Amino acid sequence: MPFVILVVGSENMFMLTNALVSTPVELPVSTRMAQGLASVGVPVTLTVISDIVLIGFIASATPVAAVREFCIFAIFLLITDWSMQMSFFATVLSID
């Protein structure tokens, strides 16, 4: 499970970086960031939501308390990862 969260987080960062790099350099930074987030914001959010739903289903279907608690932790981790990517990581990308 930690590997899945790591892969999802890395994939989202690569998608956001690629979207930002593919915008024209002549545009202002705010416009480039807006275009980059507009092109990958929805797919990244849908990926995280589908992962949260899947892990939530696993948490509700399993009778083992340790697995349930781990799935709940993974859900919070995915939410934190998404919010950091959409706020902090996007801000760091705009600095360069």
Side-chain angles (χ1 to χ4, degrees):
M1 187 70 80
F3 180 72
V4 171
I5 294 170
L6 177 70
V7 168
V8 168
S10 299
E11 177 187 14
N12 292 343
M13 287 189 298
F14 288 132
M15 286 174 57
L16 184 56
T17 305
N18 189 28
L20 183 65
V21 170
S22 66
T23 59
V25 181
E26 299 82 27
L27 295 174
V29 174
S30 60
T31 306
R32 292 181 70 200
M33 288 302 299
Q35 288 180 356
L37 284 172
S39 66
V40 298
V42 173
V44 165
T45 303
L46 289 177
T47 301
V48 170
I49 289 173
S50 66
D51 291 339
I52 288 171
V53 168
L54 179 65
I55 294 172
F57 176 74
I58 293 170
S60 65
T62 185
V64 181
V67 174
R68 189 177 322 116
E69 290 174 8
F70 184 77
C71 288
I72 292 170
F73 176 73
I75 289 170
F76 283 115
L77 188 64
L78 282 169
I79 293 169
T80 303
D81 183 48
W82 177 84
S83 64
M84 292 297 288
Q85 286 174 354
M86 292 299 139
S87 60
F88 181 73
F89 186 69
T91 304
V92 170
L93 281 178
S94 69
I95 291 173
D96 188 26

